[in-house]
Amino acid sequence: MVIDRRAIRKGLRVIATKDCDVAQALTQIGYPEPRIRPVGFEALLSIIVSQQISTGAAQSIMGRVQALLPEISAPATLALPDGTLRKAGLSGRKVEYVTSLAQAIVAGQFDPVALEQQTDSQAIASICMLRGLGRWSAEVYLMFSLQRPDVFPAGDLALQRALQKLKGWDNRPNADESRAAVAHWMPWRTVGSLFLWHFYRGAPA
């Protein structure tokens, strides 16, 4: 399944029948755009780069990495001279994560292609075994690269804040509270997540 504009509209129509707050917000801000990313090493590298920095900064760093690597692959990354990724803007810790990921792929310890045949929980567990890639990173990969329709990264701060605003709550919900609050959005929680990010950026004050 590809979560394209048609799927987003279908999923949000279903969610709106179950959640009046979503139904009302949809009339205010409309539908979010799809987020479709490639699968494999490049996507996981991009996720590592984007951790805890702004979208703009991540895009700038990825642009410099792409200039270094016409073919972004695990072997090509391992062949770079020492210090090259640091000069491109990655922190020392992120260089360690990228190198560890590339080594795991080259050694046959991790196969991104195999994730496509795994269940959501299996794929998340496989990714979380890699250094520097936790549950949020795994869930983002499932949503945007594997295009899984029912993933909700409950630990995402922007989603929590969007949910607080959507529901008119005084306090920001934690991960468990956020997950419980959208349980009735199944089996379209990826689409619901896209909508919450859209709402977070564009909701009226």
Side-chain angles (χ1 to χ4, degrees), residues 7-78:
I8 287 171
R9 287 181 175 273
K10 178 181 177 180
L12 280 172
R13 283 196 293 266
V14 172
I15 291 173
T17 64
K18 306 176 182 180
D19 193 316
C20 60
D21 295 313
V22 173
Q24 182 178 1
L26 261 177
T27 65
Q28 297 174 311
I29 63 169
Y31 294 89
E33 289 296 309
R35 296 192 193 184
I36 302 172
R37 296 179 180 171
V39 297
F41 175 76
E42 181 176 356
L44 291 165
L45 166 62
S46 178
I47 288 171
I48 291 172
V49 167
S50 68
Q51 291 171 349
Q52 298 181 324
I53 61 174
S54 70
T55 301
Q59 290 173 342
S60 295
I61 293 171
M62 277 303 297
R64 291 194 288 272
V65 172
Q66 288 165 345
L68 294 169
L69 293 167
E71 176 202 13
I72 300 185
S73 67
T77 300
L78 293 177

Side-chain angles (χ1 to χ4, degrees), residues 93-168:
R93 185 60 57 85
K94 288 184 179 180
V95 171
E96 293 176 9
Y97 295 161
V98 170
T99 302
S100 179
L101 167 65
Q103 289 171 339
I105 291 174
V106 169
Q109 299 165 343
F110 174 72
D111 180 10
V113 175
L115 299 174
E116 300 178 37
Q117 306 304 319
Q118 296 177 359
T119 66
D120 291 353
S121 59
Q122 288 171 339
I124 288 171
S126 296
I127 294 171
C128 286
M129 291 177 65
L130 297 164
R131 190 177 176 202
L133 289 164
R135 186 174 183 88
W136 177 87
S137 299
E139 289 169 334
V140 166
Y141 186 82
L142 264 67
M143 294 170 72
F144 302 150
S145 294
L146 298 185
Q147 295 287 292
R148 300 292 174 87
D150 194 36
V151 179
F152 184 78
D156 187 276
L157 186 61
L159 287 187
Q160 293 174 1
R161 288 177 172 164
L163 198 54
Q164 177 188 358
K165 189 166 188 176
L166 179 72
K167 297 296 182 180

